[in-house]
Amino acid sequence: QVQLVESGGGLVQAGGSLRLSCAASGRTFSNAAMGWFRQAPGKEREFLATIGWLGRTTYYATSVKGRFTISKDNAKNTVDLQMNSLKPEDTAVYYCAARQSTFTASSANDYTYWGQGTQVTVSS
């Protein structure tokens, strides 16, 4: 199994940057595809980015493409989300997720393990 612990959330001004980190434990992490999602109050969970088990293949939602970057370090068992040019619309709880499969996925239903979530608030 995989356990996920997120960190790096907080308050940031519009146009600023924030880096989220997800620390994973478990023997299957190096073979697991990872993803980042977010959920604002009253809204459904939204896909942001996913990365393959080798940390090379990536896929981004249109809303964050060019602003967010996902990365994976199998040696350190971490997956990060670098967020630049943040907007007030980015305010949400951000979640890290892992799959048992090595293939990337953009649906929350395809992920088995989830972090507790970390709040990101962007002020205007």
Side-chain angles (χ1 to χ4, degrees):
Q1 63 177 14
V2 177
Q3 298 83 43
L4 307 175
V5 180
E6 299 155 313
S7 62
L11 176 65
V12 65
Q13 294 181 343
S17 299
L18 202 62
R19 188 179 186 89
L20 305 182
S21 182
C22 176
S25 62
R27 297 180 181 180
T28 63
F29 177 76
S30 62
N31 296 326
M34 307 293 295
W36 281 97
F37 295 77
R38 69 185 180 190
Q39 188 167 20
K43 296 185 178 180
E44 296 181 352
R45 190 161 298 187
E46 177 189 10
F47 165 77
L48 298 175
T50 183
I51 188 167
W53 72 292
L54 292 176
R56 298 176 180 177
T57 300
T58 58
Y59 178 74
Y60 297 90
T62 302
S63 61
V64 303
K65 189 174 183 179
R67 298 192 299 125
F68 291 10
T69 302
I70 187 172
S71 60
K72 188 170 184 280
D73 190 333
N74 288 335
K76 297 181 179 180
N77 286 349
T78 58
V79 58
D80 291 355
L81 185 68
Q82 177 65 46
M83 305 185 293
N84 299 324
S85 301
L86 285 165
K87 308 173 183 178
E89 304 94 278
D90 295 320
T91 297
V93 177
Y94 283 67
Y95 297 91
C96 174
R99 304 185 68 207
Q100 290 181 311
S101 172
T102 58
F103 297 102
T104 58
S106 58
S107 174
N109 295 135
D110 292 326
Y111 289 82
T112 304
Y113 307 101
W114 293 85
Q116 79 287 348
T118 183
Q119 177 70 45
V120 172
T121 302
V122 184
S123 62
S124 60

